[in-house]
Amino acid sequence: MSDTAIRPRIEQAGLADRLTAALPILLVPMLALLGFAAIGDATTWLTLTVAGLAMGLMIFVMASGLTVVFGLMDVINFGHGAFVSVGAFVGFTALAWMGGWTASPSVVLNLAAVFLAICAAALVTGAMGYAFERVIVMPVYGHHLKQILVTMGGLIVTQQLIHVIWGPDAIHLARPETLRGSVIVAGAAIEKYRIMAVGIGLALFLAMRYVLRSTRIGLLVRAGVENGEMVEALGYRIKRLFLMVFIAGSALAGLGGVMWGLYQETITAHMGSEILVLVFIVVIIGGLGSVEGCFIGALLVGLLSNYTAFLAPKIALVSTIGLMVVILMWRPQGLFPVVKAK
Amino acid sequence: MPEAILTLDGVHTHIGPYHILHGVDLSVPEGGVAMLLGRNGAGKTTTLRTIMGLWKASRGAVRFRGKDITSLDTPAISRKGIAFVPEDMGIFTDLTVAENMTLAATRGAPDKRRLDWICDLFPPIRTFWESSAGTLSGGQKQMLSVARAIIEPRDLILIDEPTKGLAPAIIKSMTGALKQLKETETTIVLVEQNFAMARALGDTVAVMDDGRIIHAGDMAALAADAALQERLMGLSLEAHQ
Amino acid sequence: MLKTLLSGDYPRSRVLSLVVLAIGISLLLAPFLYPGTKSLDTAAKIAIFVVLVASYDLLLGYTGIVSFAHTMFFGIGAYGTALTLSSMGPSFTAILLGMLAGAIVAAVFALAIGLFSLRVKAIFFAMVTLAIASAFAVLVSQLSGFTGGEDGLTYRIPRELTPGFRPIKEKLFGTAINGRLIAYYLIFFLSAFLFLVMLRIVNSPFGRTLQAVRDNGFRAEAIGYRAVLYRTTATVLSAVMAALSGSLLAIWLRYTGPATTLSMEIMVDILLMVVIGGMGTMYGAVIGATIFILAQTYLQDVMGVAEKATEALPLISVLVAPERWLLWLGVLFILSVYFFPAGIVGRLRGQGG
């Protein structure tokens, strides 16, 4: 048998096909251009775009775990928002302990404080993710209805526990000294914190991409998303893999919670369930189970929210729903549909 | 006859509300190729999946080298040295050919010489090493699936209809590769509808119908016995010549 | 007569029958048994929530669909009535028109959402409804010119339904006969009627098909688009019922705002009520709503006493503080889903699970 006879015809993929494949990625710059046309003022646009990217990247950090968890085990965690809230509150406590560092005018000490707060939040929510998976999720594998109900119950209980520990009132979460205020870039005022949020978000995205593409664990996760049964038949315990992903996803949600809390500067026990709405919109737009889709979806939602918040503030959230509806009409499985063997 | 490497003893399997296997008794001798024949819906795929632990037997026992593996989970069964090539090939299309092979090598990096040998058996593996497995043709995917199963020496390989939907030329090369594979110490259980291939490869044969084994014996005996063939064929191999 | 009324679907447990009967009689005689504004408010709220929770059970328990948009439909009904009452003035025509408009809008929304997202997995529907309901709640609070925003709408209802209306001067069994009493009975009998209608629906051939679709994934897929049709119909019915109960709330409170109708807290309350009461039983809605609202109104007092009593034990005292009742309900909720998915009704019927 000759190889040429059965060579796949990848070379023949035409320009149109490649353009279609790249279209979801092109949506982000397209939306940015559209925003520019609608706003018409370069400096305002730049401010809003950076804000949108920062928001999108933070949502991505919070949403990424949720989407992989779904892809791997068909589990959707309605309690995911609980990790965001807990992360924010742990971050608050950690920053309060490091009051000397956050109040200091030194950039290094400020960043170190944020870094440590983020680590503390990720550690706590990661451990919580472990408990959540073992106690709440594990008994209801394969049963969607119970999963939704039970994880919702976990959310209620967690929110109440936050009330027990930190009290029922909203808490002001101050940014460290040097992360307050804005810098002027090309005439546009850009909050320093947003620049940092973009930096952290991008770094996390790249790290996640590296893990998923170049490590054995990452390959197993991707293989498991497509065909978990075959991964088991090769000798790997998918439930162990799932537990690891669940913990990582919870830790990321907690990490995102600190970032989101510092962004809003106010934290409440309900902040997680509020942000969960955007997180759901993002993972639906991206395609349930797809990390790339989640990334693109988060950027689209972040940009659109900020543009509409400026242009027509009343319909900011409705516009993201509109975006979701339009995208689902175009691609019913989301921008990056996940290939499922079964 | 050499000692049995795998035995099924009165295995029943239910899938949801459906009772698929009704007491399968099967003994696979060590070495060589054991063919599992039967018409669609006879329970061949369910038998392989039950051995692999992907469906749980509701009654009866599966023994591998004399040890009961019925209650083990799939990864544990796999790690006993049993590989599985499913009917849908189970290729990870999102990964490259190389990554598919790497994941199959559970004991670390694949052995270089063995990899060379596999690439000689299935040349497209070498050609498309860095390509996304999703871009392979059906025949190439089938080769990758078998190649993945043998990346490390296995004691037993379960292969579910490797020729399904393939062009005759590719069936021929697949048969050739399996013949070479047979020369190694591995034992193969092969589900097949293609009787010509079964005759060319099989040492022993078991024929299934309605979730039971209705005939078991040497392939050569079945190949020589036209009357028996006629009887079983009328029952289970019709239109699969 | 009773058989027709209950559509042949009896409580099927002596204790349950007694409890349901006791709740029914208590609500029927509430103005005379428990005089006072707070208790009448509680009774009316229970009656309204029985309908709301039962309509959710129609979806969750009988169809196996999780929706987070139920408060949206509840709110649409409430705002429908509130808007007609505030724009047309206090008249029964306005109430009727409002109810009708609310029900129609809710039906159209439910149809659109159902057709849009019920073709895919249950999980998808849950996520989409959560997103849409949140957006709707935000939109309502933003469009303050139309809906009164966060403050909501306050309006007058027909004089015949207000405390100022006194058809009889004398008191009856110590209770004043006034418009408020009439309003209560209007709500009580309408709620009872709507509940019986839903009981009829789930026991009709349509209701049994719903349960078959819920129980048997294989068959549901085999009948293909018709499964979507059945699910969508159930969604629409449930939305209309929720909207009607919202209208009742709007009449009773003479106020409609996001916090009383649209908030996610109420959605969570509904979930707790239906699961703790018993999914897929209808009577679970009666039990769940009664227990929950009584707990919401009175349990906090009891817990306040418990907190005082355990003051010496810091941790326990914190956990039994009155504000913590939702924590314990959450735990009860999780345990219910695991150990007795048929809820209290299932327990009483002796099914356990």
Side-chain angles (χ1 to χ4, degrees):
Chain A
M1 167 182 41
S2 72
D3 293 339
T4 46
I6 50 171
R7 186 179 289 278
R9 295 181 195 148
I10 28 178
E11 303 86 357
Q12 291 176 13
L15 183 69
D17 285 349
R18 268 186 291 158
L19 212 59
T20 316
L23 203 55
I25 298 165
L26 290 176
L27 279 179
V28 178
M30 273 159 59
L31 181 64
L33 279 178
L34 208 66
F36 186 72
I39 293 160
D41 173 48
T43 54
T44 312
W45 174 80
L46 187 59
T47 306
L48 291 172
T49 303
V50 173
L53 291 178
M55 177 175 167
L57 283 162
M58 282 186 276
I59 296 175
F60 166 73
V61 171
M62 292 183 264
S64 54
L66 190 83
T67 202
V68 181
V69 158
F70 177 83
L72 207 51
M73 291 297 273
D74 213 15
V75 166
I76 203 88
N77 180 8
F78 275 74
H80 195 71
F83 303 125
V84 173
S85 301
V86 171
F89 278 89
V90 170
F92 161 77
T93 302
L95 284 173
W97 281 345
M98 296 180 285
W101 287 14
T102 53
S104 137
S106 147
V107 180
V108 178
L109 281 182
N110 284 178
L111 288 182
V114 170
F115 177 75
L116 286 176
I118 280 177
C119 288
L123 266 177
V124 171
T125 52
M128 205 179 120
Y130 174 79
F132 208 88
E133 201 275 345
R134 293 283 104 170
V135 178
I136 307 237
V137 181
M138 199 171 66
V140 288
Y141 271 140
H143 200 307
H144 278 164
L145 193 105
K146 286 189 176 182
Q147 257 171 33
I148 297 173
L149 296 180
V150 155
T151 53
M152 201 72 200
L155 176 70
I156 298 171
V157 171
T158 313
Q159 282 176 348
Q160 290 298 313
L161 287 175
I162 291 177
H163 284 173
V164 171
I165 299 172
W166 283 281
D169 300 322
I171 293 179
H172 176 68
L173 182 57
R175 293 177 196 164
E177 198 58 40
T178 56
L179 291 172
R180 293 178 197 167
S182 313
V183 289
I184 306 293
V185 178
I190 292 174
E191 281 188 35
K192 291 183 203 163
Y193 180 72
R194 287 181 181 158
I195 298 176
M196 189 187 87
V198 169
I200 297 179
L202 271 181
L204 280 170
F205 172 66
L206 292 176
M208 220 179 291
R209 217 173 126 93
Y210 172 78
V211 169
L212 283 173
R213 288 182 180 232
S214 312
T215 68
R216 196 177 183 83
I217 286 277
L219 291 182
L220 275 175
V221 169
R222 282 165 61 206
V225 166
E226 183 175 348
N227 190 341
E229 206 168 63
M230 196 62 218
V231 168
E232 292 239 286
L234 290 179
Y236 301 97
R237 289 220 149 68
I238 194 137
K239 285 196 176 166
R240 194 174 297 167
L241 193 66
F242 174 70
L243 178 60
M244 285 163 56
V245 169
F246 198 96
I247 292 173
S250 310
L252 281 171
L255 193 162
V258 183
M259 290 174 66
W260 189 250
L262 284 168
Y263 178 67
Q264 302 277 27
E265 296 188 281
T266 304
I267 57 174
T268 67
H270 291 279
M271 64 183 281
S273 45
E274 281 153 20
I275 193 79
L276 195 65
V277 172
L278 285 181
V279 165
F280 278 173
I281 294 175
V282 161
V283 298
I284 290 174
I285 287 178
L288 283 163
S290 159
V291 173
E292 281 89 355
C294 179
F295 182 70
I296 301 292
L299 292 183
L300 289 176
V301 165
L303 288 175
L304 185 66
S305 299
N306 278 277
Y307 293 154
T308 48
F310 174 76
L311 293 167
K314 290 184 175 173
I315 58 156
L317 186 54
V318 179
S319 70
T320 58
I321 302 267
L323 177 71
M324 176 178 85
V325 170
V326 168
I327 284 183
L328 287 182
M329 301 250 221
W330 174 41
R331 294 195 170 181
Q333 304 288 324
L335 289 177
F336 291 78
V338 168
V339 200
K340 275 275 176 195
K342 308 254 156 7
Chain B
M1 210 182 202
E3 205 173 310
I5 185 169
L6 177 81
T7 52
L8 273 69
D9 199 357
V11 168
H12 289 253
T13 301
H14 289 78
I15 302 176
Y18 306 110
H19 192 172
I20 309 287
L21 298 187
H22 299 265
V24 171
D25 294 303
L26 179 68
S27 176
V28 175
E30 178 142 23
V33 176
M35 300 300 307
L36 195 55
L37 308 179
R39 65 173 155 200
N40 284 331
K44 303 170 306 239
T45 297
T46 307
T47 304
L48 291 197
R49 289 178 59 88
T50 304
I51 297 169
M52 222 38 223
L54 292 165
W55 299 125
K56 284 287 162 216
S58 42
R59 224 169 347 129
V62 181
R63 289 192 191 81
F64 179 66
R65 294 196 182 287
K67 285 209 186 74
D68 193 333
I69 59 164
T70 326
S71 58
L72 294 185
D73 62 4
T74 304
I77 292 169
S78 162
R79 284 178 183 264
K80 293 241 171 239
I82 305 179
F84 180 47
V85 180
E87 199 176 4
D88 65 4
M89 303 177 278
I91 298 299
F92 306 124
T93 55
D94 196 30
L95 274 52
T96 64
V97 170
E99 288 166 343
N100 267 277
M101 295 294 279
T102 318
L103 284 189
T106 50
R107 297 171 210 165
D111 176 52
K112 187 84 192 63
R113 276 180 44 208
R114 193 170 174 89
L115 201 54
D116 275 341
W117 169 70
I118 291 172
C119 288
D120 290 341
L121 278 183
F122 305 111
I125 301 288
R126 182 174 284 136
T127 321
F128 297 108
W129 187 246
E130 292 295 342
S131 305
S132 162
T135 61
L136 298 181
S137 71
Q140 292 163 338
K141 278 184 184 149
Q142 191 68 64
M143 291 179 194
L144 174 58
S145 191
V146 176
R148 211 170 51 174
I150 57 174
I151 181 105
E152 282 163 354
R154 309 276 183 221
D155 295 347
L156 177 65
I157 305 174
L158 313 173
I159 307 180
D160 200 349
E161 284 203 55
T163 61
K164 192 182 179 187
L166 299 187
I170 304 173
I171 294 185
K172 218 173 131 199
S173 87
M174 179 62 78
T175 312
L178 290 179
K179 244 184 195 152
Q180 284 194 55
L181 186 58
K182 195 179 150 177
E183 304 306 315
T184 65
E185 271 108 77
T186 303
T187 310
I188 300 173
V189 175
L190 187 58
V191 164
E192 207 25 274
Q193 302 246 15
N194 182 319
F195 192 65
M197 186 183 188
R199 191 183 348 223
L201 281 171
D203 297 306
T204 62
V205 63
V207 182
M208 290 190 78
D209 200 43
D210 279 338
R212 287 180 191 84
I213 304 282
I214 52 163
H215 169 87
D218 279 347
M219 191 70 222
L222 179 63
D225 189 339
L228 182 61
Q229 253 182 60
E230 185 62 32
R231 184 165 70 78
L232 292 174
M233 243 175 255
L235 204 76
S236 49
L237 299 176
E238 66 221 1
H240 291 306
Q241 268 299 4
Chain C
M1 157 75 177
L2 188 66
K3 187 174 175 188
T4 328
L5 217 51
L6 299 183
S7 315
D9 184 3
Y10 299 107
R12 293 205 306 282
S13 144
R14 184 172 298 177
V15 184
L16 181 61
S17 307
L18 285 176
V19 173
V20 171
L21 199 65
I23 293 173
I25 290 176
S26 299
L27 289 179
L28 179 65
L29 302 177
F32 304 100
L33 290 176
Y34 321 101
T37 322
K38 187 178 178 187
S39 47
L40 197 62
D41 262 338
T42 311
K45 204 174 168 201
I46 290 176
I48 292 166
F49 268 74
V50 165
V51 177
L52 180 62
V53 174
S55 67
Y56 192 65
D57 192 27
L58 184 65
L59 207 55
L60 179 67
Y62 286 89
T63 322
I65 296 172
V66 187
S67 158
F68 285 99
H70 213 60
T71 43
M72 179 171 88
F73 300 126
F74 187 53
I76 288 176
Y79 273 97
T81 308
L83 286 170
T84 48
L85 276 173
S86 22
S87 60
M88 298 168 58
S91 70
F92 284 99
T93 324
I95 291 183
L96 263 180
L97 265 180
M99 279 182 130
L100 198 67
I104 291 173
V105 172
V108 170
F109 266 54
L111 186 69
I113 298 176
L115 290 179
F116 180 65
S117 52
L118 274 177
R119 281 165 301 156
V120 263
K121 295 176 172 176
I123 256 177
F124 194 79
F125 187 73
M127 294 167 76
V128 168
T129 51
L130 181 71
I132 290 178
S134 309
F136 186 81
V138 170
L139 193 65
V140 166
S141 62
Q142 296 280 353
L143 297 176
S144 43
F146 182 49
T147 62
E150 287 291 345
D151 296 333
L153 295 167
T154 311
Y155 39 84
R156 292 189 301 126
I157 57 173
R159 202 180 75 85
E160 291 77 8
L161 301 177
T162 58
F165 179 67
R166 299 289 292 268
I168 310 169
K169 293 281 169 284
E170 298 81 42
K171 287 190 171 186
L172 195 64
F173 304 111
T175 304
I177 307 301
N178 60 17
R180 197 70 181 145
L181 198 73
I182 298 173
Y184 176 75
Y185 279 111
L186 178 75
I187 281 160
F188 172 77
F189 283 112
L190 273 178
S191 299
F193 170 72
L194 290 176
F195 179 77
L196 293 176
V197 167
M198 281 186 274
L199 203 58
R200 171 63 50 97
I201 291 174
V202 297
N203 286 291
S204 68
F206 168 75
R208 274 188 280 279
T209 313
L210 279 186
Q211 292 166 65
V213 170
R214 174 199 66 191
D215 293 338
N216 198 333
F218 290 110
R219 245 191 67 198
E221 261 162 48
I223 58 175
Y225 78 97
R226 281 178 45 211
V228 178
L229 216 64
Y230 277 113
R231 289 195 182 118
T232 307
T233 312
T235 312
V236 171
L237 278 174
S238 145
V240 167
M241 288 292 171
L244 291 176
S245 66
S247 298
L248 295 183
L249 186 80
I251 296 170
W252 181 252
L253 292 181
R254 288 172 285 174
Y255 162 80
T256 295
T260 55
T261 54
L262 291 171
S263 76
M264 214 13 94
E265 277 83 34
I266 297 181
M267 190 62 241
V268 169
D269 292 350
I270 298 174
L271 259 178
L272 290 167
M273 289 184 230
V274 78
V275 168
I276 292 173
M279 287 183 270
T281 61
M282 279 294 145
Y283 291 104
V286 179
I287 308 270
T290 308
I291 292 182
F292 188 91
I293 289 167
L294 284 181
Q296 200 176 34
T297 322
Y298 299 108
L299 182 71
Q300 301 196 25
D301 300 343
V302 179
M303 288 178 79
V305 175
E307 186 192 21
K308 286 256 160 50
T310 53
E311 236 162 358
L313 313 157
L315 184 66
I316 295 178
S317 156
V318 167
L319 289 178
V320 298
E323 314 86 86
R324 293 292 82 82
W325 70 288
L326 199 53
L327 170 69
W328 297 110
L329 273 183
V331 172
L332 183 63
F333 173 83
I334 295 174
L335 294 177
S336 303
V337 177
Y338 284 155
F339 300 113
F340 43 109
I344 295 175
V345 169
R347 279 270 110 163
L348 292 178
R349 284 178 176 171
Q351 304 165 347

